[in-house]
Amino acid sequence: MTVITIYHNPACGTSRNTLAMIRNSDVEPTVIEYLKTPPSRETLVDLIARMGVPVRALLREKGTPFAELGLGDPSLSDDALLDAMMAHPILINRPIVVMPLGVRLCRPSELVLDILPDAQKTAFAKEDGEAVVDAAGNRLR
């Protein structure tokens, strides 16, 4: 059985679409609502390392205190950025999906299809109606 974890925000359409595509592959993931249960600093550092992205790449600007905290300052260290994410979990971009084939920030949501070990079982369209998977389970884009 494939073990998948998603760091999820149910208020985010991209996160909801990603979760739905995971479930469309007949897998029920472990869902961590990261605003209620934020990852520890150690876990967040591990996730970033496993994604192979800079810390700054995981910062969310829209709908967060990014600007008021001055996080756009390129001189800020990774530790300072991590401190901000620990103090304000809303700054952590989502959804982050963890599975045996890798860890990925799934923005856009269909990026999850690159690391899902099992095929989509049925057609899938995002909440906005955009078709992503056809009736045979094939990715459309």
Side-chain angles (χ1 to χ4, degrees), residues 59-83:
L59 275 175
R60 181 166 176 82
E61 295 181 36
K62 184 179 174 186
T64 73
F66 179 90
E68 66 192 57
L69 295 173
L71 297 176
D73 180 348
S75 70
L76 289 174
S77 68
D78 286 351
D79 281 335
L81 299 176
L82 287 164
D83 288 344

Side-chain angles (χ1 to χ4, degrees), residues 13 30 38 58 73:
T30 299
L58 201 59
D73 180 348

Side-chain angles (χ1 to χ4, degrees), residues 24 51 53 86 103 113 137:
N24 196 43
M51 283 187 276
V53 301
M86 292 291 88
V103 178
L113 298 173

Side-chain angles (χ1 to χ4, degrees), residues 77-122:
S77 68
D78 286 351
D79 281 335
L81 299 176
L82 287 164
D83 288 344
M85 286 188 266
M86 292 291 88
H88 307 278
I90 193 70
L91 289 165
I92 301 170
N93 215 340
R94 76 290 178 162
I96 299 171
V97 178
V98 181
M99 61 185 69
L101 294 177
V103 178
R104 171 132 336 140
L105 174 63
C106 293
R107 297 193 74 79
S109 56
E110 56 270 21
L111 288 177
V112 75
L113 298 173
D114 295 338
I115 59 173
L116 280 175
D118 300 313
Q120 296 288 283
K121 302 303 180 197
T122 62

Side-chain angles (χ1 to χ4, degrees), residues 10-85:
C12 170
T14 300
S15 197
R16 290 191 306 269
N17 284 323
T18 302
L19 178 57
M21 279 186 265
I22 294 168
R23 289 177 169 155
N24 196 43
S25 70
D26 274 349
V27 174
E28 183 55 41
T30 299
V31 178
I32 299 173
E33 289 189 31
Y34 77 96
L35 294 177
K36 293 180 181 177
T37 309
S40 68
R41 184 186 190 98
E42 179 180 279
T43 298
L44 187 59
V45 167
D46 178 64
L47 291 170
I48 292 167
R50 290 172 64 194
M51 283 187 276
V53 301
V55 172
R56 188 168 290 284
L58 201 59
L59 275 175
R60 181 166 176 82
E61 295 181 36
K62 184 179 174 186
T64 73
F66 179 90
E68 66 192 57
L69 295 173
L71 297 176
D73 180 348
S75 70
L76 289 174
S77 68
D78 286 351
D79 281 335
L81 299 176
L82 287 164
D83 288 344
M85 286 188 266

